[in-house]
């Protein structure tokens, strides 16, 4: 069955996280996804706030930029949330927007190398191992968590280009595709991800997660066009518009293309982003099946 989620954009003020949490929990939404965009709120703090206020909904972090965060700090913070709220946190990492990484003095020459090193070290730390590594970017000397999670933690990576898609398949347990991706783009990306999965030798399924621009209302199609206009890498046919049934139909198209999880993403100019979350859980979810 397709998992359905919704994005709570970082443009919402932190004091609105309580209302966001309540909308997600009460509507039956399966997953609420948070971003870590510079220079909005931090994803760990936001996720902790939502997890503490809810009992059921899973919270995804999509994603923490690897250049922004030391892997040991990532492991320490994630271990707290994973133990306090078992089975409800989905941690994701990504390259980060390179202009922002340069702005804070954290841009690296090889984002691919950094992602590979951080995913490898993060998995080992969260598995309770004592880790020593001297890589190009990640350096650890007998580092072990005092409170590693009690159960294995799936790690997710954001990816767009072929190299990162293949790397995600090899080193992560799931891949997040951006809202620029159309159903045909999901099919193409899955083929490349599967090459990495095959190389990894891991038997467990690799989860494909896709964000989908979603606009409702009578002028939805025009607003979606404006939202997507001028985006680099925007694929024709990406997005969902209209009423609950039309959006559910779009979700099924993405699922048929290979998406295990479809995360509906409101535009920045959505008049009521909290109502959007309720709408996804209460009205779209029952129609997806």
């Amino acid at each position: 069955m397709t998992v359905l989620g919704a994005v709570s954009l970082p443009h919402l003020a932190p004091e609105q996280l309580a209302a966001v949490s309540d909308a997600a929990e009460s509507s039956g939404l399966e997953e609420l996804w948070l971003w870590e965009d510079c220079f909005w709120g931090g994803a760990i703090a936001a996720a902790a706030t939502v997890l503490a206020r809810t009992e059921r909904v899973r919270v995804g972090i999509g994603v923490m930029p690897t250049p922004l965060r030391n892997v040991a700090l990532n492991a320490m913070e994630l271990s707290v949330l994973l133990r306090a709220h078992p089975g409800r946190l989905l941690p994701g990492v990504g390259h980060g927007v390179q202009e922002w990484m340069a702005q804070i003095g954290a841009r690296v020459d090889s984002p691919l190398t950094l992602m590979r090193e951080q995913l490898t070290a993060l998995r080992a730390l969260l598995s309770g191992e004592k880790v020593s590594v001297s890589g190009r970017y990640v350096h650890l000397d007998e580092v072990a968590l005092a409170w590693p999670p009690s159960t294995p933690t799936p790690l997710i990576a954001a990816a767009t280009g072929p190299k990162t898609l293949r790397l995600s398949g090899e080193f992560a347990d799931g891949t997040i595709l951006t809202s620029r991706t159309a159903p045909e783009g999901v099919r193409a990306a899955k083929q490349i991800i599967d090459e990495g999965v095959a190389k990894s030798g891991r038997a467990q399924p690799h989860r494909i997660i896709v964000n989908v621009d979603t606009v409702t209302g009578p002028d939805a199609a025009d607003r979606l066009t404006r939202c997507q206009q001028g985006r680099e890498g925007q694929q024709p046919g990406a997005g969902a518009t209209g009423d609950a049934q039309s959006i559910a139909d779009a979700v099924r198209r993405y699922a048929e293309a290979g998406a295990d999880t479809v995360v509906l993403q409101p535009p920045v100019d959505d008049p009521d982003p909290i109502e959007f979350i309720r709408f996804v859980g209460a009205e779209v979810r029952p129609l997806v099946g």
Side-chain angles (χ1 to χ4, degrees):
M1 187 173 74
T2 307
V3 174
L4 189 65
V7 172
S8 177
L9 294 172
H11 305 77
L12 278 173
E15 55 267 29
Q16 292 183 283
L17 282 172
V20 167
S21 304
D22 294 348
E25 184 82 352
S26 64
S27 69
L29 186 71
E30 291 161 284
E31 294 182 359
L32 180 71
W33 283 80
L34 307 170
W35 293 359
E36 185 163 79
D37 274 0
C38 297
F39 298 96
W40 305 89
I44 293 290
T49 300
V50 175
L51 287 165
R53 192 173 175 91
T54 57
E55 297 180 355
R56 179 197 54 77
V57 68
R58 294 188 296 273
V59 178
I61 298 177
V63 290
M64 298 173 289
T66 52
L68 181 65
R69 291 174 166 273
N70 182 281
V71 68
L73 178 61
N74 254 1
M76 290 163 60
E77 293 191 320
L78 290 173
S79 67
V80 172
L81 297 182
L82 290 163
R83 288 184 67 104
H85 308 280
R88 293 182 54 215
L89 180 70
L90 304 167
V93 300
H95 293 318
V97 177
Q98 295 307 296
E99 290 77 9
W100 291 341
M101 297 303 100
Q103 193 175 353
I104 61 173
R107 184 167 182 168
V108 298
D109 292 332
S110 178
L112 279 168
T113 300
L114 174 57
M115 181 179 284
R116 182 178 66 251
E117 290 181 357
Q118 185 154 141
L119 281 169
T120 302
L122 187 58
R123 185 184 300 279
L125 289 168
L126 292 176
S127 297
E129 299 177 23
K130 181 179 287 187
V131 182
S132 292
V133 61
S134 182
R136 182 173 177 181
Y137 299 110
V138 174
H139 302 273
L140 299 172
D141 184 9
E142 296 191 348
V143 175
L145 294 176
W147 295 105
S150 54
T151 57
T153 303
L155 296 178
I156 300 166
T160 52
K163 291 181 180 179
T164 310
L165 290 167
R166 199 171 287 111
L167 183 147
S168 180
E170 184 176 359
F171 291 95
D173 304 297
T175 301
I176 301 173
L177 305 177
T178 75
S179 61
R180 298 174 177 85
T181 312
E184 284 305 313
V186 173
R187 287 191 179 89
K190 189 177 186 307
Q191 290 181 344
I192 300 171
I193 292 166
D194 286 347
E195 295 174 9
V197 173
K199 187 175 180 181
S200 76
R202 291 195 305 274
Q204 65 267 35
H206 186 97
R207 185 176 176 189
I208 306 295
I209 303 157
V210 59
N211 289 344
V212 177
D213 288 321
T214 305
V215 187
T216 62
D219 59 346
D222 289 340
R223 289 177 60 214
L224 178 65
T225 298
R226 291 196 298 270
C227 170
Q228 296 179 336
Q229 199 165 19
R231 280 183 181 172
E232 183 179 352
Q234 181 67 54
Q235 297 178 2
T241 61
D243 60 11
Q245 185 62 64
S246 297
I247 292 169
D249 292 342
V251 170
R252 281 191 287 272
R253 288 194 292 273
Y254 277 93
E256 290 165 0
D260 302 292
T261 300
V262 178
V263 184
L264 302 183
Q265 176 180 313
V268 174
D269 67 352
D270 190 283
D272 193 342
I274 295 173
E275 168 59 22
F276 176 87
I277 291 168
R278 189 211 63 79
F279 167 77
V280 174
E283 299 187 39
V284 181
R285 170 71 271 176
L287 299 174
V288 170

